[in-house]
Amino acid sequence: MDHGQKTAKKRAMVLFVSYLCIALVCFGIFAYLVIVKRAEKAVSDRLVTVSQIIVFVGIFFLVLAFVHILPSLISHNKICSEANMRQTLGKYIPRGETLLAGIYATVQESSVTAVFGKCRCMEGRLVPDEDGDTLALIKKKELEYEIYLGMTQSYLLIGECGKNRHAYQCVDNPDVREEDVQELTSELLWEDIGTSFPLEDVQSCEIKKGRMGAILCTLTMKNGTYFKLTLPDNAGPNGDMPHHTRYREMILARLGGMHVV
């Protein structure tokens, strides 16, 4: 267990105990009000309302403790697994490269643009066509999703932890730089774009501190592709990514050594 995982476990235990204490205090206050007012002949509507609010607050924190926090302490998180991370990112590693670092992260918003020459856009895929046009395929998502973020000697890799729905758009003859146009040699599924980026294509990396040790990173490529990322300081109290903290520092050091806004 690395330092980050120990921190996560300690943090989860403190939250569990805190939520449980708050719930018990609320129920205690409610019981006191019931005992004190039991002898009174009439109970005001205001007291009834206050009592209901106290009970609901207690139930809310009790649910947080046992439904949200406790499972993270006792159950194994299959997503936060180094074996799964390596298996997922391994599919996107370019020939001649090796994976140097890989972590669990989340994406709050993303927009990927990939441009291909001499191709046709069909439902769910692009196909090569010598008589076809230059097409830009845009892949967007504005809801949070989980990913593995990896780095090789020359590439940044992004592999989704599960199947996510994205919005896609094909644009004919886009106004792009010639060096951004890729050759399409075989059929390409829409979902397979946005998984591998040359590090030299990173235009800017804006890094900010987030909550509970997380790093907020807005990554922008030279062709307009961007990812708004959250990089946690650990893989959770029961994650199986013992090198997460060290790998995160390696990735941030490489990205931060470029152009930080």
Side-chain angles (χ1 to χ4, degrees):
M1 184 183 296
D2 69 351
H3 176 72
Q5 193 171 356
K6 291 179 181 178
T7 300
K9 190 173 286 290
K10 181 179 179 181
R11 187 182 294 157
M13 291 179 66
V14 169
L15 284 175
F16 177 76
V17 173
S18 299
Y19 291 163
L20 199 58
C21 288
I22 293 173
L24 293 175
V25 168
C26 289
F27 295 143
I29 294 174
F30 173 73
Y32 171 78
L33 292 176
V34 170
I35 294 172
V36 169
K37 297 300 180 180
R38 180 177 294 176
E40 296 186 4
K41 295 181 180 179
V43 179
S44 67
D45 292 339
R46 181 180 180 184
L47 183 60
V48 172
T49 301
V50 171
S51 299
Q52 290 176 336
I53 292 174
I54 291 173
V55 170
F56 288 141
V57 170
I59 293 174
F60 172 75
F61 279 99
L62 201 62
V63 170
L64 280 181
F66 285 96
V67 177
H68 181 62
I69 303 298
L70 187 60
S72 69
L73 285 169
I74 62 178
S75 62
H76 177 67
N77 190 336
K78 294 181 180 179
I79 291 178
C80 294
S81 160
E82 185 156 325
N84 287 343
M85 177 269 291
R86 290 186 177 278
Q87 182 179 14
T88 299
L89 294 181
K91 297 180 293 185
Y92 310 124
I93 298 176
R95 183 176 299 178
E97 299 280 318
T98 56
L99 187 66
L100 301 179
I103 64 172
Y104 165 82
T106 59
V107 180
Q108 276 58 57
E109 181 182 337
S110 63
S111 178
V112 177
T113 300
V115 184
F116 300 93
K118 296 183 179 181
C119 63
R120 288 184 293 116
C121 188
M122 303 181 70
E123 184 61 34
R125 64 190 189 277
L126 294 177
V127 295
D129 185 346
E130 283 297 323
D131 298 321
D133 298 323
T134 297
L135 298 176
L137 180 59
I138 302 173
K139 174 182 178 181
K140 290 186 175 183
K141 189 171 180 63
E142 296 181 350
L143 296 176
E144 181 178 278
Y145 58 99
E146 298 172 301
I147 65 163
Y148 297 118
L149 179 67
M151 182 182 68
T152 68
Q153 290 85 350
S154 308
Y155 286 82
L156 191 70
L157 309 177
I158 293 180
E160 297 182 24
C161 295
K163 287 286 186 179
N164 296 289
R165 296 178 64 88
H166 296 261
Y168 295 93
Q169 179 185 8
C170 272
V171 179
D172 295 331
N173 298 311
D175 183 15
V176 295
R177 303 178 307 165
E178 184 177 346
E179 55 264 37
D180 289 334
V181 180
Q182 305 175 55
E183 180 184 3
L184 188 65
T185 58
S186 60
E187 181 177 289
L188 176 69
L189 297 179
W190 290 357
E191 61 191 51
D192 288 338
I193 71 167
T195 57
S196 177
F197 303 92
L199 285 168
E200 63 182 14
D201 284 354
V202 177
Q203 177 173 283
S204 65
C205 176
E206 181 181 353
I207 297 174
K208 297 179 180 179
K209 290 184 178 180
R211 297 175 55 231
M212 302 179 73
I215 296 295
L216 307 180
C217 176
T218 299
L219 201 62
T220 305
M221 307 297 173
K222 293 177 181 178
N223 71 345
T225 291
Y226 70 85
F227 292 89
K228 294 183 178 180
L229 304 163
T230 297
L231 314 183
D233 64 345
N234 59 78
N238 283 320
D240 185 20
M241 302 185 77
H243 308 294
H244 177 97
T245 302
R246 181 167 63 89
Y247 284 164
R248 188 183 77 155
E249 294 308 311
M250 289 174 61
I251 292 172
L252 287 173
R254 184 66 185 274
L255 295 176
M258 296 176 177
H259 175 62
V260 181
V261 179

